[in-house]
Amino acid sequence: MGKIALITGITGQDGSYLAELLLKKNYSVHGVVRRVALEDRTHRLWRLRKILNKITLHAASLESYASLVKIVQKIKPNEVYHLAAQSYVSYSFEDEFSTLNTNIGGTHYILSAVKEFSPKSKFYFAGSSEMFGKVKEVPQNEKTPFNPRSSYGISKVTGYELTKNYREAYNLFCCTGILFNHESPRRGFEFVTRKISHGAARIKLGIQKNLELGNMDAKRDWGHSEDYVLAMWKMLQLKKPEDFVIATGKQHSVREFAKLAFETLDLDYRKYIKYNKIYDRPSEVDSLLGNYSKAKKIIKWEPKISFKELVKNMVTEDLKLVKKQGY
Ligand code: G4F
């Protein structure tokens, strides 16, 4: 019989790719979802459409320890992937309280549930390059000091520290993947890459006139989510838990992303993109660049999909989507 995996955040971009990967590896895949997602499957479970009959979904809330305990106790997973979070950095400035409460409390609850009811489970925490914030060295690796610039970043640093503490204090297999930005056609529309790929497709089809963005000089290390979920799995196959930076080692600006996305559709981005200061952040993370050499050495992971391929993949899928939907 295959292993049992539990994924929080299974309805998201990474959760859906990870579920597909684990099914291919013959896992029995369980996911934690909000009750409302089960009641509104078309809108909330679209990323899981193709695999819904192969996975088991459990209704629970990251804000409720009791609801998480019940699931962990019942299925005693071999591996837990804790991906669920309020993950939109901009929103974390609008509501610091819910970002901190959900992200820190949720991580603490699930770690505690594992410790009490399934201590043999291997646990993965989705850390983030936002933990480096206003970076203290370039490129960033596992030893680079954290310096977060948002409550989202702070919540991820706290989750990282909690994960480390459960590993050290209770001898559990707990690790953090410090993932740099990773995108795909399944990315949420609020993130800048998807906003651009979807906007460009709509402009190409005459549905939208222009696209408003904030800071186009921000630089990110962008990879593809499908590559990155493989790294998560590889981390949990180790004998000893360790934290890893997962990145491409290459950096591009938002402007470069936009230029390439519009070029894919034979458009000049300068004619369509307008600056709107409402998208600027009170404290911006200007530049992120990861060094993934530890992952390359120990888990034999390397990104396969290039920046160019990523942009092309997102734009062509969005063009198909907009054509099909008509809006
Ligand atoms: O796409 P973003 O919103 O992603 P951000 O803030 O880098 O965070 C993402 O990556 C993190 C890993 O480093 C994750 F932890 C996190 O959950 C999330 O997945 O913004 C990217 C950059 C920012 O500098 C932002 O200021 O794009 C800039 N930007 C410029 N105009 C914009 C816009 N961002 C958004 N969302 N919308 C704009 O109109």
Coordinates of all heavy atoms in Angstrom, one line a residue, residues 86-90 127-131 152 156 179-183 187 189-195 212-216 218-220 222 254 279-281 284-286 288, ligand 1:
Q86 N -2.7 32.7 4.5 CA -3.1 33.9 3.8 C -1.8 34.3 3.1 O -0.8 34.8 3.8 CB -3.6 34.9 4.8 CG -4.2 36.2 4.2 CD -3.3 37.0 3.2 OE1 -3.4 36.8 2.0 NE2 -2.5 37.8 3.7
S87 N -1.7 34.1 1.8 CA -0.4 34.2 1.1 C -0.2 35.5 0.2 O 0.8 35.6 -0.4 CB -0.2 33.0 0.3 OG -1.1 33.0 -0.8
Y88 N -1.2 36.4 0.2 CA -1.1 37.6 -0.6 C -0.5 38.7 0.2 O -1.1 39.2 1.2 CB -2.5 37.9 -1.1 CG -2.5 39.1 -2.1 CD1 -1.4 39.3 -3.0 CD2 -3.6 39.9 -2.1 CE1 -1.4 40.4 -3.8 CE2 -3.6 41.0 -3.0 CZ -2.5 41.3 -3.8 OH -2.5 42.3 -4.7
V89 N 0.8 39.0 -0.1 CA 1.5 40.0 0.7 C 0.8 41.3 0.9 O 0.7 41.9 2.0 CB 2.9 40.2 0.1 CG1 3.7 41.3 0.9 CG2 3.7 38.9 0.1
S90 N 0.3 41.8 -0.2 CA -0.4 43.1 -0.2 C -1.6 43.1 0.8 O -1.8 44.1 1.6 CB -1.0 43.4 -1.6 OG -0.5 44.6 -2.1
G127 N 7.7 27.7 3.9 CA 8.4 29.0 4.2 C 8.4 29.9 2.9 O 7.9 29.4 1.8
S128 N 9.0 31.0 3.0 CA 8.9 31.9 1.8 C 10.1 32.8 1.8 O 10.7 33.2 2.8 CB 7.7 32.8 2.0 OG 7.8 34.0 1.2
S129 N 10.5 33.2 0.6 CA 11.6 34.2 0.4 C 11.2 35.6 1.0 O 12.1 36.4 1.2 CB 12.0 34.3 -1.0 OG 10.9 34.6 -1.9
E130 N 9.9 35.8 1.2 CA 9.5 37.1 1.9 C 10.2 37.1 3.3 O 10.2 38.2 3.9 CB 8.0 37.1 2.0 CG 7.3 37.6 0.8 CD 7.6 39.1 0.5 OE1 7.3 39.9 1.3 OE2 8.0 39.4 -0.6
M131 N 10.6 36.0 3.8 CA 11.3 36.0 5.2 C 12.6 36.8 5.1 O 13.0 37.4 6.1 CB 11.6 34.6 5.6 CG 10.3 33.8 6.0 SD 10.3 32.0 6.0 CE 11.9 31.5 6.4
Y152 N 2.9 39.3 6.6 CA 3.0 38.0 6.0 C 4.4 37.4 6.2 O 4.6 36.3 6.6 CB 2.7 38.1 4.5 CG 3.1 36.9 3.7 CD1 2.2 35.8 3.7 CD2 4.3 36.7 3.0 CE1 2.5 34.6 3.1 CE2 4.6 35.5 2.4 CZ 3.7 34.5 2.4 OH 4.0 33.3 1.7
K156 N 5.7 34.1 8.4 CA 6.4 33.0 7.8 C 7.7 32.7 8.6 O 8.1 31.6 8.8 CB 6.7 33.2 6.4 CG 5.5 33.1 5.4 CD 5.1 31.6 5.3 CE 3.8 31.4 4.5 NZ 3.4 30.0 4.5
L179 N 10.8 28.8 -0.2 CA 10.5 28.9 -1.6 C 10.5 30.3 -2.1 O 9.8 31.2 -1.5 CB 9.2 28.1 -2.0 CG 9.4 26.7 -2.3 CD1 10.1 25.9 -1.2 CD2 8.1 26.0 -2.6
F180 N 11.2 30.6 -3.1 CA 11.1 31.9 -3.8 C 9.9 31.8 -4.7 O 9.2 30.8 -4.9 CB 12.4 32.1 -4.6 CG 13.6 32.6 -3.7 CD1 14.0 31.8 -2.7 CD2 14.1 33.9 -3.8 CE1 15.0 32.2 -1.8 CE2 15.1 34.3 -3.0 CZ 15.6 33.5 -2.0
N181 N 9.5 33.0 -5.3 CA 8.3 33.1 -6.0 C 8.1 32.0 -7.1 O 9.1 31.8 -7.8 CB 8.2 34.5 -6.7 CG 8.2 35.6 -5.8 OD1 9.0 35.7 -4.9 ND2 7.2 36.5 -6.0
H182 N 7.0 31.4 -7.1 CA 6.8 30.4 -8.1 C 5.4 30.5 -8.6 O 4.4 30.7 -7.9 CB 7.1 29.0 -7.5 CG 6.5 28.7 -6.2 ND1 7.0 29.3 -5.1 CD2 5.5 27.9 -5.8 CE1 6.3 28.9 -4.0 NE2 5.3 28.1 -4.5
E183 N 5.2 30.3 -9.9 CA 4.0 30.7 -10.6 C 3.6 29.6 -11.6 O 4.3 28.6 -11.7 CB 4.3 32.0 -11.5 CG 5.2 33.0 -10.8 CD 4.6 33.7 -9.6 OE1 3.4 34.1 -9.8 OE2 5.2 33.8 -8.5
R187 N -1.9 30.1 -10.9 CA -1.7 31.2 -10.0 C -2.9 32.0 -9.8 O -3.7 32.2 -10.7 CB -0.6 32.1 -10.6 CG 0.1 33.1 -9.7 CD 0.6 32.5 -8.4 NE 1.7 33.2 -7.9 CZ 2.0 33.3 -6.6 NH1 1.2 32.8 -5.7 NH2 3.1 33.9 -6.2
F189 N -5.3 35.3 -9.4 CA -5.3 36.5 -10.3 C -4.7 37.7 -9.6 O -4.4 38.7 -10.2 CB -6.7 36.8 -10.8 CG -7.2 35.7 -11.7 CD1 -7.9 34.6 -11.2 CD2 -6.9 35.8 -13.1 CE1 -8.4 33.6 -12.1 CE2 -7.3 34.8 -13.9 CZ -8.1 33.7 -13.4
E190 N -4.6 37.7 -8.2 CA -4.1 38.9 -7.5 C -2.6 39.1 -7.6 O -2.1 40.1 -7.3 CB -4.6 38.9 -6.1 CG -4.1 37.8 -5.2 CD -4.9 36.5 -5.3 OE1 -5.3 36.1 -6.4 OE2 -5.1 35.8 -4.2
F191 N -1.9 38.0 -7.9 CA -0.4 38.1 -8.0 C 0.0 38.7 -9.3 O -0.6 38.5 -10.3 CB 0.2 36.7 -7.8 CG -0.1 36.1 -6.4 CD1 -1.2 35.3 -6.2 CD2 0.6 36.5 -5.3 CE1 -1.6 34.8 -5.0 CE2 0.2 36.0 -4.0 CZ -0.8 35.1 -3.9
V192 N 1.2 39.4 -9.3 CA 1.5 40.2 -10.4 C 1.7 39.4 -11.7 O 1.3 39.9 -12.8 CB 2.7 41.1 -10.1 CG1 4.1 40.3 -10.2 CG2 2.8 42.3 -11.0
T193 N 2.3 38.2 -11.6 CA 2.5 37.4 -12.9 C 1.2 37.1 -13.6 O 1.0 37.3 -14.8 CB 3.3 36.2 -12.6 OG1 2.6 35.4 -11.6 CG2 4.7 36.5 -12.1
R194 N 0.2 36.6 -12.8 CA -1.0 36.2 -13.4 C -1.8 37.4 -13.8 O -2.6 37.4 -14.8 CB -1.8 35.3 -12.3 CG -3.1 34.7 -12.9 CD -2.8 33.5 -13.8 NE -3.8 33.1 -14.7 CZ -4.9 32.4 -14.4 NH1 -5.0 31.9 -13.2 NH2 -5.8 32.0 -15.3
K195 N -1.7 38.5 -13.0 CA -2.4 39.7 -13.4 C -1.9 40.1 -14.8 O -2.7 40.5 -15.7 CB -2.1 40.8 -12.4 CG -2.9 42.0 -12.5 CD -2.7 43.0 -11.3 CE -3.2 44.4 -11.6 NZ -2.9 45.3 -10.6
E212 N -3.2 48.2 -15.1 CA -2.6 49.0 -14.1 C -1.8 48.2 -13.2 O -2.2 47.2 -12.6 CB -3.7 49.8 -13.3 CG -4.5 50.8 -14.2 CD -5.4 51.7 -13.3 OE1 -5.6 51.4 -12.1 OE2 -5.8 52.7 -13.9
L213 N -0.5 48.7 -13.0 CA 0.4 48.0 -12.1 C 1.1 49.0 -11.1 O 1.0 50.2 -11.4 CB 1.5 47.3 -12.9 CG 1.1 46.1 -13.8 CD1 2.4 45.6 -14.5 CD2 0.4 45.0 -13.0
G214 N 1.7 48.4 -10.1 CA 2.5 49.3 -9.2 C 4.0 49.3 -9.6 O 4.3 49.6 -10.8
N215 N 4.8 48.9 -8.7 CA 6.3 49.0 -8.8 C 6.8 47.9 -9.9 O 6.9 46.8 -9.5 CB 6.9 48.8 -7.5 CG 8.4 48.7 -7.5 OD1 9.0 49.2 -8.5 ND2 9.0 48.2 -6.5
M216 N 7.1 48.4 -11.0 CA 7.6 47.5 -12.1 C 9.1 47.3 -12.0 O 9.7 46.5 -12.8 CB 7.3 48.0 -13.5 CG 5.8 48.0 -13.7 SD 5.4 48.5 -15.4 CE 5.9 47.1 -16.3
A218 N 10.5 46.2 -9.2 CA 10.8 45.1 -8.2 C 11.3 43.9 -9.0 O 10.9 43.6 -10.1 CB 9.5 44.7 -7.5
K219 N 12.3 43.2 -8.3 CA 12.9 42.1 -8.9 C 12.6 40.8 -8.1 O 12.7 40.8 -6.9 CB 14.4 42.3 -9.0 CG 14.8 43.4 -10.0 CD 16.3 43.4 -10.2 CE 16.7 44.5 -11.2 NZ 17.7 45.4 -10.6
R220 N 12.3 39.7 -8.8 CA 12.0 38.5 -8.2 C 12.8 37.3 -8.9 O 13.1 37.4 -10.0 CB 10.5 38.2 -8.2 CG 9.7 39.1 -7.4 CD 9.9 38.8 -5.9 NE 9.0 39.6 -5.0 CZ 9.3 40.8 -4.6 NH1 10.4 41.4 -5.0 NH2 8.5 41.5 -3.8
W222 N 11.8 34.1 -10.1 CA 10.6 33.4 -10.4 C 10.8 32.0 -11.0 O 11.5 31.8 -12.1 CB 9.8 34.1 -11.5 CG 8.9 35.2 -11.0 CD1 7.9 35.1 -10.1 CD2 9.0 36.6 -11.3 NE1 7.3 36.4 -9.9 CE2 8.0 37.3 -10.6 CE3 9.9 37.4 -12.1 CZ2 7.8 38.7 -10.7 CZ3 9.7 38.7 -12.2 CH2 8.6 39.4 -11.5
V254 N 9.6 43.0 -12.7 CA 8.2 42.9 -13.1 C 8.1 43.4 -14.5 O 7.4 42.9 -15.4 CB 7.4 43.7 -12.1 CG1 5.9 43.9 -12.6 CG2 7.4 43.2 -10.7
Y279 N -1.2 50.3 -6.1 CA -0.6 48.9 -6.0 C 0.8 48.9 -5.3 O 1.4 47.9 -5.1 CB -0.5 48.3 -7.4 CG -1.8 48.0 -7.9 CD1 -2.3 48.8 -9.0 CD2 -2.7 47.1 -7.4 CE1 -3.6 48.6 -9.5 CE2 -4.0 46.9 -7.9 CZ -4.4 47.7 -9.0 OH -5.7 47.5 -9.4
D280 N 1.3 50.1 -4.9 CA 2.5 50.2 -4.2 C 2.3 49.7 -2.7 O 1.2 49.9 -2.2 CB 3.1 51.6 -4.1 CG 3.7 52.0 -5.5 OD1 3.9 51.1 -6.3 OD2 3.9 53.2 -5.7
R281 N 3.3 49.2 -2.1 CA 3.2 48.6 -0.8 C 3.9 49.6 0.2 O 4.9 50.2 -0.1 CB 3.9 47.3 -0.7 CG 3.1 46.3 -1.6 CD 3.8 45.0 -1.7 NE 3.0 44.2 -2.7 CZ 3.2 42.9 -3.0 NH1 4.2 42.3 -2.5 NH2 2.4 42.3 -3.9
E284 N 8.2 47.9 0.7 CA 8.3 46.9 -0.5 C 9.6 46.1 -0.3 O 10.5 46.4 0.4 CB 8.5 47.8 -1.7 CG 8.9 47.1 -3.0 CD 7.8 46.2 -3.6 OE1 7.3 45.3 -2.9 OE2 7.5 46.3 -4.8
V285 N 9.5 44.9 -0.8 CA 10.7 44.0 -1.0 C 11.2 44.2 -2.4 O 10.5 43.8 -3.3 CB 10.3 42.5 -0.7 CG1 11.5 41.6 -1.1 CG2 9.9 42.3 0.7
D286 N 12.3 44.9 -2.5 CA 12.7 45.4 -3.9 C 13.4 44.3 -4.7 O 13.2 44.2 -5.9 CB 13.8 46.5 -3.7 CG 13.2 47.7 -3.0 OD1 12.2 48.1 -3.5 OD2 13.8 48.2 -2.0
L288 N 14.8 40.0 -4.7 CA 15.0 38.7 -4.1 C 15.8 37.8 -5.1 O 15.4 37.8 -6.3 CB 13.7 38.0 -3.7 CG 12.9 38.6 -2.6 CD1 11.5 38.0 -2.4 CD2 13.7 38.4 -1.2
Ligands
G4F1 O1 3.2 38.8 -7.3 P1 3.4 39.4 -6.0 O2 2.1 39.9 -5.3 O3 4.2 38.5 -5.1 P2 5.1 38.7 -3.8 O4 4.7 39.8 -3.0 O5 6.6 38.6 -4.2 O6 4.8 37.4 -3.0 C1 4.7 36.1 -3.5 O7 5.9 35.4 -3.4 C2 6.3 35.1 -2.1 C3 7.7 34.4 -2.2 O8 8.7 35.4 -2.2 C4 5.3 34.2 -1.4 F1 5.7 33.9 -0.2 C5 4.0 35.0 -1.4 O9 3.0 34.2 -0.8 C6 3.6 35.3 -2.8 O10 3.4 34.1 -3.5 O11 4.3 40.7 -6.2 C7 5.5 40.7 -6.8 C8 6.1 42.1 -7.0 C9 6.0 43.0 -5.7 O12 7.3 43.6 -5.6 C10 4.9 44.0 -6.0 O13 5.1 45.2 -5.4 O14 5.3 42.7 -8.0 C11 5.1 44.1 -7.5 N1 3.9 44.6 -8.2 C12 3.8 45.6 -9.0 N2 2.6 45.8 -9.5 C13 2.6 44.1 -8.1 C14 1.8 44.9 -8.8 N3 2.1 43.0 -7.3 C15 0.8 42.8 -7.4 N4 0.3 41.7 -6.7 N5 -0.1 43.5 -8.2 C16 0.4 44.6 -8.9 O15 -0.4 45.3 -9.6

